[in-house]
Amino acid sequence: MLKYGGYCGRFLRVDLTAKKITTEELTEEFVKKYVGCNGFGAAILYNELPARIDPFSAANKVVVATGPLTGTVVPCTPKVGFFTKSPLTGGFMDSYAGGHFGAELKFAGFDGVIIEGASEAPTWLYIEDGQAELRDASKLWGLSVPETEAAVRRDLNNDAVHVASIGPAGEQLVRFSCVMVDMSHAAGRGGVGAVLGSKKLKAIAVYGRKNPIPVADPEAVLALAEKIYQHIQETPSLATGMPKYGTTGALKANQTSGILGTRNWQSETFEHASSIDGDACLRELFEKNLACFQCPLRCTHFSRIKEGKYAGTTTIGPQYETMYSLGSVCGLTDIKAVAKANEYCNAMGLDTISAGVTVAFAMELYERGILSYEELGGLDLTFGNDEGLLAALESIVARRGIYKLLGEGTKRAAEVLGRETYKYAINVKGLELAGHSVRGYKGMSLGYATSTRGGSHQDMRHIPERAGLFDRRDPSGKAQLNYDITSTTTIRDTLNYCAMIEDVVGRVGITEKHAEMVNAVTGLNLSVNEVQQLADRIWNLERAFNVREGMSRKDDVLPYRFMHEPIPEGPSEGMYCPPEELEKMKDELYEIRGWTRDGIPSRDKLLELGLDQVAEELWP
Amino acid sequence: MKLAYDQSKCTGCAVCASVCSFRLKGLVHPGGTRIKFAYVSPTDSHVIYCRQCENAPCALACPQGAIQKDGKTSAWVVDAEKCVGCGLCLEACPYGAIRLDTESGKADKCDLCQGDPACVKHCLAQALTVQD
Ligand code: SF4
Ligand code: SF4
Ligand code: SF4
């Protein structure tokens, strides 16, 4: 038995090739060194994956992991992480989902699951109170996400199970397909769903009633929970803003600052923003607030379209990222169409961000005359054509014609298409960009370029710059800001609390609050310094994973558009990130991080962080 | 006083069940809470809770007279000293609101937290409220 609180102390290992399931105890040493979710995922993948494997080969693995806060009384801690070598970026990928799955997995007795090998026939995994078994999924193959969940529930005759599953997109190896948790929460990014598809693992269902999670200091944990509650209740943006708008308010905020990705980022102001913003959601869609496990914020909106051509559609969301990716970036002017596309992506298991940005890429190529109507299979992909967007999404899932190539993501598509199409491909390291401006925030310019997973807004965060705490137009000091913020987001993903309470714990720099949180739950008694070291260890390990795959400074780049075309109009007119500016910020960041000029963690840095084996491998 | 519940406001967060179980034993335990969270689908979940009935069937069914009304809160409270763990109250409750504690083997039910219901305090959606 592990002596620390917040853990079950065990992982499941599922070998799909041999159809063998074993359990593994977490050692004290491993827990001390990596603490939880992001740390566990990074350590397991680095240690167990050989370099340069094909992400779709049986040698790839998917790690599912929770953090020590998951399944405790600390509010806003529902997350579960999925880790794999990404078929989009070829690098380390972590993607997190809310819902109830993470907590339920722990109540069933496991901190995580390591999925390895590949099954020949479709299969699904059922975990219940310390037991696990593989079941036949031949009847589930081809089903949408909601159909899969319903079939699993029916099969188990239990409505209370929580399900993580893939849709037809994952089965068809669309490189940006996601894992859907409880039907509506996506571990969206980087193609984890496609990796599960390549392993023929359709779903994981969990049910746990027998394994409550002990914490180190129940009184301190309760006091911490009460403090977070109080903070929430005293902060209007959380107490009333979250239930009312969830994340949808960001659309109007970004439009006001002139940093809303529009028509494949040709512009960053959208003249139709008010018809697809948070108020439009309330007006046209809102039905009811929903929440993840243990979350009082209830940011999730259940939506129903009451009238018009999409009447009858119900969906959970859309959230801000989707309003950007299936909305403004494709030029859509009808929030109901955005909701319809959201429903479709969730049902098929497509990452809404990459899916929307990829269609926007095709739309720009069409408007520029680079791709013809015929090449596009007779679809009119004019910006703003919602029917074109829906048909394109459908064709991507069906892997039809040119859409088969588009399902490989914008990076690969641009490489195959040639004709300078890379200039319009909005991705970093192959991962399409989230809806927070590269050009409008200097901190985000550096953040996107250097994030392990590529174009993700979850490592570097835009909010301190948006709030005006740091000058978003000034590149100086952004390397330090990047270091401070990515340290907190790494700890966020390791303890595993939701980004929505980053404000409560602190967004810029590791403080006493992070230490207090981990110590109350685990009893690890880490100092602030040790928490900072933990963040550094995990971040460097992720970086080392990518270095081993051949990545370095040259891969820390931004999409061509953001380095060469200033924002053409609006409040942020003229802003962009020229290569010289980016290179200078990179120099500063590498220096702070203890990396070489080429962006490789130095031998000394790795040794200092206790990553001796990594040091040997990177510096033989 | 008693609990009131409005399912149309319930978000399915299960916070009520988590805090209730945590209050009991310092653990979040979906199998060990007085208010039970029932997940049906992402858009449809509800809670199973004690109504503090007028002529409480649980109290009437108890052969030991172990379930008594608390004068101050008017909650029906189990006297663990008297309870023999026969489970007749469980069968009698029309709402499934009593549990047998797996450790003690005794019946256990909502006592309205002696007048300050933790579940109500933590339900920011106000799906759970107190009624006189
Ligand atoms: S705390 Fe409130 S909103 Fe959450 S499950 Fe309980 S009753 Fe529903
Ligand atoms: S336990 Fe059941 S029978 Fe007893 S008072 Fe509560 S709801 Fe009524
Ligand atoms: S009032 Fe107290 S004992 Fe009763 S269900 Fe709520 S938290 Fe549990």
Side-chain angles (χ1 to χ4, degrees):
Chain A
M1 251 300 262
L2 204 57
K3 68 174 180 187
Y4 301 116
Y7 303 98
C8 302
R10 299 185 296 174
F11 259 66
L12 261 185
R13 188 181 288 276
V14 180
D15 181 340
L16 293 170
T17 308
K19 307 212 176 311
K20 212 176 101 205
I21 300 178
T22 47
T23 60
E24 279 170 30
E25 305 288 316
L26 288 178
T27 66
E28 216 176 292
E29 194 200 347
F30 184 75
V31 167
K32 268 175 151 157
K33 199 163 172 182
Y34 301 109
V35 177
C37 194
N38 193 175
F40 290 168
I44 296 169
L45 283 191
Y46 188 92
N47 292 337
E48 298 191 9
L49 290 195
R52 312 214 182 209
I53 53 163
D54 175 353
F56 288 148
S57 71
N60 199 5
K61 304 192 183 193
V62 174
V63 177
V64 186
T66 61
L69 299 181
T70 319
T72 71
V73 80
V74 182
C76 309
T77 54
K79 300 268 174 175
V80 57
F82 291 80
F83 304 83
T84 197
K85 176 173 177 175
S86 165
L88 263 188
T89 70
F92 179 84
M93 186 57 58
D94 45 342
S95 197
Y96 304 82
H100 287 247
F101 186 92
E104 195 78 20
L105 179 61
K106 281 178 84 170
F107 298 141
F110 300 99
D111 294 303
V113 186
I114 303 164
I115 297 155
E116 57 192 27
S119 179
E120 256 166 47
T123 182
W124 66 280
L125 176 66
Y126 181 51
I127 305 169
E128 179 182 335
D129 285 323
Q131 310 281 324
E133 64 185 36
L134 286 165
R135 298 191 173 202
D136 174 20
S138 49
K139 292 211 175 73
L140 304 182
W141 208 248
L143 296 187
S144 72
V145 168
E147 289 165 349
T148 305
E149 282 211 11
V152 164
R153 293 211 159 82
R154 224 181 299 122
D155 194 17
L156 294 168
N157 196 18
N158 182 358
D159 282 336
V161 292
H162 294 285
V163 183
S165 64
I166 62 167
E171 296 171 13
Q172 295 306 319
L173 308 186
V174 174
R175 281 183 195 259
F176 44 82
S177 37
C178 60
V179 180
M180 294 300 294
V181 166
D182 290 333
M183 238 155 77
S184 52
H185 303 273
R189 314 261 24 227
V192 188
V195 176
L196 290 182
S198 74
K199 299 188 176 308
K200 293 244 167 44
L201 185 64
K202 178 72 176 167
I204 309 171
V206 287
Y207 184 69
R209 286 296 174 272
K210 297 194 186 138
N211 289 275
I213 320 298
V215 290
D217 185 344
E219 265 172 50
V221 169
L222 192 59
L224 179 70
E226 294 295 353
K227 225 159 66 183
I228 297 174
Y229 252 85
Q230 200 184 344
H231 187 121
I232 290 170
Q233 281 170 299
E234 287 168 358
T235 311
S237 62
L238 295 175
T240 51
M242 272 294 137
K244 183 164 182 199
Y245 287 114
T247 58
T248 67
L251 196 125
K252 192 186 257 175
N254 289 346
Q255 165 71 2
T256 307
S257 302
I259 46 176
L260 175 63
T262 300
R263 289 185 282 267
N264 203 34
W265 294 92
Q266 293 179 86
S267 175
E268 301 202 22
T269 45
F270 186 39
E271 64 282 16
H272 299 289
S274 65
S275 61
I276 61 161
D277 67 6
D279 289 312
C281 290
L282 288 178
R283 227 173 26 239
E284 313 276 356
L285 302 174
F286 181 77
E287 178 95 354
K288 187 180 180 182
N289 281 111
L290 299 173
C292 297
F293 179 79
Q294 198 55 20
C295 181
L297 292 179
R298 56 205 191 279
C299 75
T300 309
H301 289 183
F302 177 47
S303 297
R304 184 187 302 278
I305 302 178
K306 285 142 207 127
E307 51 194 33
K309 64 180 168 182
Y310 301 121
T313 301
T314 58
T315 187
I316 293 174
Q319 302 221 2
Y320 167 68
E321 295 303 332
T322 302
M323 293 155 69
Y324 140 79
S325 64
L326 298 172
S328 61
V329 102
C330 288
L332 257 62
T333 58
D334 176 4
I335 192 65
K336 289 185 271 202
V338 178
K340 179 73 198 171
N342 182 65
E343 178 213 41
Y344 182 76
C345 288
N346 286 355
M348 294 298 123
L350 283 176
D351 171 24
T352 56
I353 299 180
S354 282
V357 173
T358 300
V359 174
F361 167 72
M363 286 175 159
E364 185 168 356
L365 298 186
Y366 177 53
E367 291 205 347
R368 285 181 184 275
I370 298 173
L371 285 180
S372 68
Y373 184 75
E374 289 69 36
E375 276 177 293
L376 287 168
L379 295 186
D380 170 18
L381 290 194
T382 310
F383 280 109
N385 180 4
D386 53 330
E387 285 170 16
L389 165 69
L390 285 165
L393 293 171
E394 199 259 321
S395 303
I396 287 172
V397 176
R399 310 230 67 176
R400 201 181 291 134
I402 196 166
Y403 298 93
K404 177 159 196 217
L405 177 63
L406 291 169
E408 303 285 291
T410 52
K411 184 169 182 238
R412 283 177 177 76
E415 278 162 15
V416 173
L417 291 170
R419 296 176 259 178
E420 301 210 324
T421 50
Y422 69 87
K423 289 185 175 169
Y424 317 109
I426 306 296
N427 67 72
V428 173
K429 299 184 173 73
L431 186 70
E432 284 71 23
L433 251 83
H436 300 282
S437 177
V438 168
R439 290 182 290 201
Y441 300 106
K442 297 299 175 190
M444 290 308 290
S445 315
L446 180 61
Y448 280 120
T450 56
S451 166
T452 320
R453 45 189 157 182
S456 162
H457 62 301
Q458 290 293 9
D459 294 316
M460 183 59 181
R461 303 287 284 151
H462 58 287
I463 292 165
E465 286 176 271
R466 184 166 81 193
L469 301 173
F470 298 86
D471 184 354
R472 68 183 176 92
R473 296 168 190 271
D474 182 0
S476 67
K478 291 303 181 291
Q480 185 65 43
L481 183 65
N482 178 279
Y483 174 75
D484 288 338
I485 293 181
T486 50
S487 294
T488 66
T489 52
T490 304
I491 294 303
R492 175 200 68 202
D493 294 342
T494 296
L495 304 182
N496 236 3
Y497 54 87
C498 176
M500 297 304 134
I501 58 155
E502 281 173 344
D503 249 350
V504 184
V505 198
R507 287 183 199 277
V508 186
I510 305 287
T511 67
E512 207 51 66
K513 286 191 184 168
H514 296 92
E516 191 192 336
M517 216 174 196
V518 60
N519 293 335
V521 173
T522 64
L524 279 160
N525 288 325
L526 301 183
S527 65
V528 174
N529 231 345
E530 286 169 318
V531 179
Q532 178 65 60
Q533 274 231 328
L534 172 67
D536 289 343
R537 187 178 301 126
I538 296 166
W539 189 264
N540 276 276
L541 195 53
E542 291 184 6
R543 182 80 179 183
F545 184 101
N546 283 0
V547 168
R548 198 170 60 175
E549 298 297 326
M551 294 188 209
S552 64
R553 179 176 196 122
K554 67 180 188 324
D555 301 284
D556 289 346
V557 287
L558 293 168
Y560 177 88
R561 169 158 282 155
F562 303 142
M563 294 198 293
H564 297 91
E565 295 172 21
I567 297 177
E569 64 207 344
S572 297
E573 184 180 338
M575 288 187 77
Y576 73 120
C577 186
E580 323 74 82
E581 189 178 292
L582 178 62
E583 293 309 314
K584 185 158 175 285
M585 286 195 285
K586 277 159 64 179
D587 280 335
E588 289 166 17
L589 179 66
Y590 293 174
E591 170 100 36
I592 292 170
R593 284 222 168 263
W595 294 352
T596 67
R597 266 197 60 80
D598 205 26
I600 317 277
S602 71
R603 189 182 166 84
D604 285 351
K605 189 58 171 184
L606 293 169
L607 292 175
E608 180 195 316
L609 297 172
L611 299 172
D612 302 28
Q613 248 175 310
V614 183
E616 286 311 316
E617 209 169 339
L618 260 45
W619 301 100
Chain B
M1 103 195 247
K2 57 185 176 185
L3 298 180
Y5 172 62
D6 178 352
Q7 203 239 345
S8 71
K9 289 187 182 160
C10 178
T11 65
C13 67
V15 164
C16 49
S18 300
V19 293
C20 184
S21 68
F22 198 85
R23 239 189 100 260
L24 288 177
K25 298 212 172 135
L27 291 164
V28 174
H29 188 190
T33 160
R34 292 165 170 180
I35 184 164
K36 284 182 216 123
F37 174 70
Y39 185 91
V40 179
S41 81
T43 57
D44 181 23
S45 26
H46 58 270
V47 296
I48 294 163
Y49 65 103
C50 168
R51 312 298 208 267
Q52 310 296 355
C53 308
E54 195 73 32
N55 294 306
C58 59
L60 294 174
C62 178
Q64 308 293 324
I67 302 180
Q68 296 287 338
K69 201 178 186 116
D70 180 291
K72 199 170 98 248
T73 60
S74 65
W76 292 97
V77 181
V78 179
D79 182 341
E81 303 273 288
K82 287 191 189 157
C83 173
V84 293
C86 66
L88 287 171
C89 56
L90 269 78
E91 282 165 38
C93 173
Y95 303 103
I98 300 201
R99 55 185 284 272
L100 267 194
D101 190 274
T102 42
E103 273 168 17
S104 68
K106 310 270 173 125
D108 182 54
K109 70 176 288 301
C110 170
D111 65 352
L112 294 170
C113 294
Q114 285 122 41
D116 184 18
C119 55
V120 171
K121 195 165 113 201
H122 288 82
C123 178
L124 296 193
Q126 294 180 321
L128 281 171
T129 49
V130 172
Q131 208 178 54
D132 279 332

